[in-house]
């Protein structure tokens, strides 16, 4: 039995995914398949490095050194063919704080912030709490796949938009944007002088036949107008260690963002996150390749089971370990759909409405768990759907 098939109990570890199900779903007998973290142990090299550091027993202030910077730079070069310089890097506790800080630093209250919906819930929250104006470019859903409405995108850019927040790969729909799509996004943002904040946290979780392209790598012009937010957290299941980084080539924009972090008292990442990031990027690639093989089989299993045995349809993912499930055939209202999954299927999924009104008939499923867990969850859904006919 390898680490990707072994079922580890995460209960009583203060896990949001496993220990908060009563408060989130008002039930304690659902199988949690929601929060975007994995039920797999991190790479053993990371665990060993953390244990060794803990044995030292002193947890003082920690600095980012050239070893950490080099691990990030080498990873981006090898995995994404993106050459960056050390000076372009800064560090943060997480991608969400980075996005909020970048919006705060590079816009003012009332400015338009463009997002492509349905999209990761904190995008909405960032715009709201910072008193910016939310502008949406809904993605086109057709034949169980999504595309960008570029005509609408250009119209929206003209509505006093200062920042476009790109989700690449896209959460929750699982699209990995193609070069021509990214090139057109870049062309239009340059045309209307709109800054891009690109959330690329899922960039390493790409299914065979697809390739992630950092939008800032397309040209010097777009790299000067892009803030890229990345982290090893989704890739290696390190989210709780709170370590991420920001890549900004433009010196003046970089200063605005780093100054904003300074004003909030963010000067460093924590000791364990620092170590985990370096070791994961230096030694975690074989583990990642095995993970991608595992989740590829998992998504194929889910699609085959749900589409052959129920009326549910899965948006074919190109990246991420999250599946976006079209439940419209059940003909349930949004609140009824959520109750159905909790009360009848006994599974805890993310409600599609959380990602915008365009997700009202969808549910988001996390497949980054052992196959035994995944099979149990999917069979619960199949039984509930077929009982409900």
């Amino acid at each position: 039995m390898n680490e990707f098939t072994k079922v580890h109990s995460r209960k009583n570890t203060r896990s949001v995914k496993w220990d908060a199900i009563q408060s989130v779903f008002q039930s304690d007998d659902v199988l949690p398949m929601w929060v975007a973290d994995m039920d797999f142990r991190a790479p053993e090299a990371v665990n060993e490095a953390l244990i060794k550091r803990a044995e030292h027993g002193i947890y003082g202030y920690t600095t980012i050194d050239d070893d950490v910077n080099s691990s990030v730079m080498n990873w981006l070069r090898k995995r994404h063919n993106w050459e960056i310089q050390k000076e372009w890097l800064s560090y943060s506790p997480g991608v969400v704080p980075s996005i909020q800080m970048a919006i705060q630093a590079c816009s003012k209250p009332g400015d338009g912030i463009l997002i492509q919906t349905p999209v990761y819930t904190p995008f909405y929250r960032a715009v709201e709490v910072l008193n910016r104006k939310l502008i949406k470019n809904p993605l086109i859903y057709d034949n169980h796949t999504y595309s960008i409405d570029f005509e609408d995108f250009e119209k929206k850019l003209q509505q006093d938009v200062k920042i476009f927040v790109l989700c690449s790969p896209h959460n929750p729909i699982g699209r990995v944007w193609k070069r021509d799509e990214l090139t057109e996004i870049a062309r239009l943002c340059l045309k209307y002088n709109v800054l891009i904040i690109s959330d690329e946290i899922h960039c390493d979780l790409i299914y065979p036949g697809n390739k992630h392209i950092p939008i800032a790598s397309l040209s010097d012009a777009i790299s000067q107008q892009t803030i890229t937010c990345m982290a090893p957290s989704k890739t290696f299941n390190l989210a709780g260690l709170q370590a991420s980084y920001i890549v900004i080539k433009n010196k003046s924009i970089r200063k605005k963002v780093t100054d904003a972090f300074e004003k909030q008292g963010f000067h460093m990442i924590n000791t364990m996150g620092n170590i985990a990031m370096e070791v994961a990027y230096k030694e975690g690639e074989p583990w990642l390749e095995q993970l991608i093989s595992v989740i590829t089989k998992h998504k194929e299993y889910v699609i085959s089971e749900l589409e052959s045995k129920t009326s549910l349809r899965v948006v074919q993912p190109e990246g991420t370990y999250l599946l976006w499930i079209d439940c419209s055939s059940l003909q349930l209202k949004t609140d009824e759909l959520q109750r159905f999954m909790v009360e009848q299927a006994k599974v805890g999924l993310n409600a599609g409405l959380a990602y915008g009104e365009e997700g009202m008939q969808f549910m988001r499923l996390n497949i980054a768990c052992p196959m035994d867990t995944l099979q149990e969850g999917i069979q619960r859904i199949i039984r509930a759907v077929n009982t409900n006919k």
Side-chain angles (χ1 to χ4, degrees), residues 1 18-19 26 31 54 60 62 79 100 119 121 157-158 164 187 237 256 260 262 285 299 313-314 323 329 359 365:
M1 178 180 290
W18 286 87
D19 289 330
Q26 288 74 56
L31 185 64
T62 308
R79 297 294 297 193
Q100 292 202 191
V119 74
T121 307
L157 288 178
Q158 299 173 55
F164 165 53
R187 183 186 73 83
N237 204 28
K256 286 181 181 179
E262 288 283 336
E285 192 169 37
K299 64 104 171 171
R313 291 295 174 264
V314 180
L323 298 188
S329 63
L365 169 73

Side-chain angles (χ1 to χ4, degrees), residues 43 51 57 72 74 93 113 142 144 184 199 248 261 309 337 350 367 386:
I51 290 169
V72 173
N74 292 337
I113 310 295
D142 182 48
H144 306 297
E184 183 64 1
D199 174 357
I248 311 174
F261 272 102
K309 297 179 180 178
L337 176 59
N350 288 99
I367 62 172
N386 290 331

Side-chain angles (χ1 to χ4, degrees), residues 156-171:
K156 297 297 173 60
L157 288 178
Q158 299 173 55
Q159 297 180 14
D160 194 33
V161 169
K162 301 300 181 186
I163 294 173
F164 165 53
V165 186
L166 172 65
C167 197
S168 178
H170 194 98
N171 173 12

Side-chain angles (χ1 to χ4, degrees), residues 151-312:
E151 182 178 350
D152 179 71
F153 185 77
E154 183 167 12
K155 287 180 181 177
K156 297 297 173 60
L157 288 178
Q158 299 173 55
Q159 297 180 14
D160 194 33
V161 169
K162 301 300 181 186
I163 294 173
F164 165 53
V165 186
L166 172 65
C167 197
S168 178
H170 194 98
N171 173 12
I173 67 171
R175 273 299 316 274
V176 174
W177 304 116
K178 303 298 185 280
R179 182 176 294 274
D180 62 337
E181 293 171 311
L182 293 169
T183 299
E184 183 64 1
I185 288 172
R187 183 186 73 83
L188 291 170
C189 287
L190 287 169
K191 178 179 179 180
Y192 294 101
N193 193 30
V194 171
L195 176 69
I196 298 173
I197 298 175
S198 189
D199 174 357
E200 303 189 15
I201 195 170
H202 292 276
C203 66
D204 299 313
L205 300 166
I206 307 297
Y207 293 110
N210 300 281
K211 179 174 175 54
H212 174 75
I213 302 171
I215 192 168
S217 71
L218 292 177
S219 70
D220 180 67
I222 199 62
S223 69
Q224 294 285 352
Q225 203 157 302
T226 301
I227 296 169
T228 304
C229 302
M230 292 176 155
S233 52
K234 301 301 180 194
T235 308
F236 298 106
N237 204 28
L238 306 175
L241 294 179
Q242 299 183 320
S244 79
Y245 54 96
I246 313 165
V247 185
I248 311 174
K249 183 175 183 179
N250 185 298
K251 188 175 181 179
S252 64
I253 294 174
R254 187 166 68 245
K255 186 176 188 308
K256 286 181 181 179
V257 175
T258 54
D259 284 353
F261 272 102
E262 288 283 336
K263 289 176 183 177
Q264 298 299 322
F266 289 110
H267 304 283
M268 63 190 72
I269 58 175
N270 73 77
T271 300
M272 294 306 198
N274 188 330
I275 292 168
M277 177 185 294
E278 178 190 1
V279 175
Y281 280 153
K282 285 183 175 179
E283 302 181 45
E285 192 169 37
W287 182 95
L288 174 60
E289 294 299 337
Q290 190 176 359
L291 169 70
I292 290 173
S293 176
V294 168
I295 61 174
T296 298
K297 293 175 183 175
H298 285 194
K299 64 104 171 171
E300 290 169 351
Y301 165 78
V302 173
I303 293 171
S304 174
E305 286 291 290
L306 290 184
E307 298 198 350
S308 66
K309 297 179 180 178
T310 76
S311 59
L312 305 182

Side-chain angles (χ1 to χ4, degrees), residues 138-155:
L139 297 168
I140 299 171
Y141 181 57
D142 182 48
N143 196 28
H144 306 297
T145 190
Y146 283 87
S147 59
I148 298 171
D149 183 343
F150 278 109
E151 182 178 350
D152 179 71
F153 185 77
E154 183 167 12
K155 287 180 181 177

